[in-house]
Amino acid sequence: MSRSVRTRPEGSGQALSEAYDTALLDLDGVVYAGGSAIAHAVESLAAARAGGMRLAYVTNNALRTPDTVAEHLTELGIPTGADDVITSAQAVARLISEQVPQGARVLVVGGEGLRVALRERGLVPVESADDDPAAVVQGYGGPELPWGRFAEACYAVARGVPWFASNTDLTIPSGRGIAPGNGAAVEVVRIATGAEPQVAGKPLPPMHRETILRTGARRPLVVGDRLDTDIEGAFNGDVDSLLVLTGVTDGAQLLAAPPRHRPTYVDADLRGLLGGQPDVVAAGDGGFRCGGWTATAGTDRLELDGDGEALDGLRALCAVAWTAAGDGGCELDGAKALARLGF
């Protein structure tokens, strides 16, 4: 992927599952939602795997172990081994292991996923700031994490112990709505101590490095639903990305995306892995055409003419919006054009 500013979604004459050797898949909003498989996910992933594409599941959630995640996916009908799962807990454990001695104690504020990942790297999880830890690590610990765990982290960090965080996602989706994520918990310690943690998870490079080390991918494709973690992580790793519209990103957010949040490809769901991607071509007067749609920039809004697949119209709108925005975010009103497409 070029580091030049992306001004349109790219086309592909090959199926993406053939053009890339490994899919680095986000989970929530891509593969499942609320614990259940998203429509078309199971059969699309099976077809991609049967065609020779390796599937790896990459999550910022540090609570669950790779074994637990793999069991859940297998229950959904997606056969998965623990080696196919990469978590931010693993990424932060490697980061810590590179900075403290083998066998060092690490104060854990989080769940079992962190403890397993630390032991894998030869580190010893401890529970108290009085256990002489060489580092403090925070990861999502679930809604029952006691408040006292934050106090232990603060005591150690205030003494100068290096502080690490698996990720800083402020929120996580739940069956009842949006809940505080690990980033909110990190803010508690930051406010109390004035310190800053080293962070491993998406969209930062330690997570991408962990993923490549564990999968051996040579031509990976990041597949996600979030612009600020999945797509930005691909940008930071200088690899291509596929945004699927089964999660949190809507059409307006996509049109307004700054360069680091612009995906290589856009598709409705994981069926996008199984086919090529249409070309978005210049149509004169600053417009762009994809399929049966032509998008142009009006005085203060995006215009759309034609008919055809809604996704083609969205791709054409992206090209106009991203070109107009350059290295910023688009300020043209795309609401009417998006409504016409059903987005």
Side-chain angles (χ1 to χ4, degrees):
M1 181 182 74
S2 171
R3 276 290 184 173
S4 61
V5 174
R6 183 179 302 285
T7 58
R8 70 185 82 177
E10 291 187 11
S12 174
Q14 281 184 291
L16 298 186
S17 59
E18 298 172 358
Y20 298 90
D21 67 347
T22 306
L24 307 180
L25 296 132
D26 183 49
L27 288 171
D28 205 351
V30 176
V31 179
Y32 55 64
S36 300
I38 287 174
H40 311 294
V42 174
E43 55 268 39
S44 296
L45 292 173
R49 186 190 305 108
M53 188 180 220
R54 176 165 184 191
L55 307 179
Y57 302 93
V58 186
T59 176
N60 261 359
N61 191 329
L63 178 61
R64 298 195 295 171
T65 67
D67 283 313
T68 301
V69 174
E71 288 172 7
H72 180 205
L73 290 170
T74 301
E75 288 171 359
L76 293 178
I78 305 168
T80 306
D83 289 345
D84 299 321
V85 179
I86 300 94
T87 73
S88 64
Q90 294 171 322
V92 77
R94 187 184 298 271
L95 192 62
I96 295 169
S97 72
E98 293 169 344
Q99 300 181 42
V100 304
Q102 183 81 1
R105 298 176 181 179
V106 179
L107 173 58
V108 175
V109 181
E112 186 62 16
L114 270 180
R115 293 178 176 83
V116 169
L118 289 169
R119 294 188 190 104
E120 182 184 42
R121 300 251 70 88
L123 302 171
V124 180
V126 297
E127 303 300 316
S128 171
D130 296 333
D131 290 329
D132 193 27
V136 176
V137 64
Q138 267 187 277
Y140 182 64
E144 306 305 322
L145 186 69
W147 187 256
R149 304 304 305 144
F150 303 132
E152 293 298 325
C154 290
Y155 299 148
V157 171
R159 295 171 191 165
V161 176
W163 177 31
F164 299 81
S166 63
N167 66 295
T168 52
D169 298 38
L170 290 173
T171 62
I172 60 169
S174 77
R176 298 173 60 193
I178 299 300
N182 191 55
V186 167
E187 286 299 312
V188 172
V189 179
R190 178 186 281 120
I191 291 167
T193 64
E196 292 289 334
Q198 296 184 51
V199 183
K202 296 183 285 186
L204 297 174
M207 187 67 170
H208 182 72
R209 180 181 62 147
E210 188 71 21
T211 301
I212 298 303
L213 286 171
R214 288 180 178 270
T215 64
R218 295 187 177 182
R219 185 159 168 74
L221 178 70
V222 170
V223 184
D225 71 308
R226 295 185 70 108
L227 300 179
D228 60 349
T229 54
D230 306 315
I231 305 308
E232 184 174 343
F235 177 86
N236 289 337
D238 202 19
V239 299
D240 288 346
S241 60
L242 167 65
L243 178 78
V244 291
L245 301 174
T246 47
V248 300
T249 299
D250 61 24
Q253 292 169 328
L254 182 58
L255 296 186
R260 67 184 183 278
H261 291 171
R262 296 173 188 170
T264 314
Y265 311 106
V266 179
D267 220 307
D269 51 53
L270 287 176
R271 288 177 294 180
L273 288 173
L274 305 180
Q277 294 285 313
D279 289 323
V280 181
V281 298
D285 297 326
F288 288 89
R289 184 175 64 254
C290 185
W293 296 99
T294 299
T296 54
T299 303
D300 59 359
R301 71 181 187 183
L302 298 171
E303 306 284 354
L304 189 66
D305 292 308
D307 197 3
E309 296 289 335
L311 271 170
D312 289 339
L314 179 62
R315 294 177 180 116
L317 287 171
C318 284
V320 175
W322 296 352
T323 299
D327 61 0
C330 182
E331 297 182 357
L332 296 172
D333 183 2
K336 184 175 180 180
L338 288 170
R340 184 177 177 187
L341 296 172
F343 290 107

